[in-house]
Amino acid sequence: MTPGLFSRRALIAGAAALLGSRALAASAPRVVAFDWGIVETLLGLGVVPAGVAEGDGYAEWVREPALPPGVPDLGLRLEPNLEAVARLKPGLIVITPQLASFEPMLARIAPTLSLAIFDEDGEVWTRARQVALALAAATGREEAGARLLAQADAVLEAARPRIAPLAARPLYLASFVDARHVRVYGRGSLFDAVLARLGIANAFTGPTSFWGFVTFGLEHLAAAQDAALLVFEPVPTEARATLAHGPLWQRLPMVEAGRVGLLPTVWSFGGLVSAMRFARMLADHAATPAVSGAGKGDARG
């Protein structure tokens, strides 16, 4: 079954059927999750996972909410350690479609629930909300689920007036891949979904991957002459030299005009929690001098 084909009601009903009404009425089951977007959503609901995959990477790339110390690491996100999972004796294992080949083996350990924030439809905001509600139902945290959705709406609403300086022109959102190439986020990305709800035009309107991004050379950023650019940390070491004195970089219209900023790390494949973090980062950036015109090549945020 493909989660992207289900409505919000179907997702919640499926979670309830999986665990049974008595389980939902009792304390939350011990939940194991591998995808960081699922992990951040569980933490946003107040559920500390019994085990996660690549916990150190979560701390580096996702950051909020912080993973409490001592949560067992279960190997790689796309290749979990099944023995380590079994030792935890979880009551529920949450996977994504990317782990479909592991589902029969995981199902022998505990009931599994497959959820996806990203799917072919590209409706990331809707899917993120559906996933939050499905996890809330599966863990007996329905009220927390409603609060998380309300919090996400409130954070974006509070950010809207603060980001007014950014709404005047189209905005590129990018991550450096190396010294000459960037990953640019467009339709189908979490970041684009947030921009749309804040009333900011995405400068990149071309086709994207399943995950909502495309990788191309720096020169393509000159396509929108009046655009601004925000670059996400971390910036690779070799790209730091580009930011400092790269000739191609210096000739980009937004760099020459000082319409460039640097944002802290935000997990681009996350859900509502990462969306809120991104909205706050945008609002904080809009209040900095770099928005109204920094010096040539400036990349402050």
Side-chain angles (χ1 to χ4, degrees):
M1 294 184 292
T2 303
L5 301 178
F6 288 102
S7 67
R8 181 176 70 181
R9 181 177 298 175
L11 280 168
I12 298 171
L18 174 69
L19 296 174
S21 57
R22 291 184 180 179
L24 290 175
S27 59
R30 286 170 53 81
V31 183
V32 160
F34 312 109
D35 177 81
W36 291 342
I38 299 296
V39 172
E40 72 165 40
T41 305
L42 286 169
L43 291 170
L45 294 170
V47 177
V48 177
V52 301
E54 300 180 56
D56 288 345
Y58 178 95
E60 179 180 0
W61 288 95
V62 186
R63 302 193 180 189
E64 294 181 8
L67 191 65
V71 175
D73 194 294
L74 301 175
L76 303 178
R77 284 173 289 160
L78 295 181
E79 194 174 345
N81 184 322
L82 299 181
E83 292 182 359
V85 174
R87 283 197 297 270
L88 290 177
K89 295 181 172 55
L92 174 66
I93 301 172
V94 184
I95 63 172
T96 60
Q98 286 71 40
L99 280 180
S101 62
F102 281 83
E103 185 167 10
M105 294 174 284
L106 291 168
R108 297 191 192 105
I109 300 172
T112 62
L113 177 62
S114 181
L115 299 172
I117 295 173
F118 290 79
D119 65 10
E120 294 83 357
D121 294 335
E123 297 297 330
V124 182
W125 183 256
T126 299
R127 294 293 303 154
R129 295 171 72 88
Q130 292 173 343
V131 166
L133 290 176
L135 288 172
T139 57
R141 299 284 184 122
E142 288 90 343
E143 291 185 4
R147 286 196 300 270
L148 183 60
L149 266 60
Q151 181 187 10
D153 291 338
V155 167
L156 266 63
E157 189 62 29
R160 189 184 302 275
R162 297 183 61 205
I163 54 86
L166 296 177
R169 63 182 70 252
L171 179 64
Y172 279 115
L173 297 168
S175 301
F176 270 91
V177 176
D178 56 33
R180 296 181 60 87
H181 297 86
V182 286
R183 172 184 289 181
V184 175
Y185 300 94
R187 168 72 178 149
S189 69
L190 180 68
F191 299 147
D192 182 75
V194 174
L195 289 186
R197 279 152 185 80
L198 292 177
I200 300 175
N202 194 327
F204 183 72
T205 58
T208 60
S209 68
F210 177 88
W211 302 103
F213 67 82
V214 64
T215 300
F216 52 53
L218 286 174
E219 65 275 8
H220 292 281
L221 292 174
Q225 294 285 316
D226 63 336
L229 168 65
L230 292 179
V231 175
F232 290 99
E233 290 275 18
V235 175
T237 301
E238 62 271 24
R240 290 281 178 185
T242 297
L243 290 176
H245 48 69
L248 177 59
W249 171 260
Q250 298 293 336
R251 289 196 299 270
L252 291 175
M254 69 278 292
V255 177
E256 290 185 331
R259 299 193 299 264
V260 178
L262 193 63
L263 291 183
T265 302
V266 182
W267 185 234
S268 61
F269 309 113
L272 294 182
V273 178
S274 286
M276 288 188 281
R277 175 174 168 83
F278 175 50
R280 293 188 185 103
M281 296 301 176
L282 275 181
D284 290 345
H285 173 79
T288 67
V291 174
S292 58
K296 181 178 179 180
D298 187 73
R300 292 174 292 161

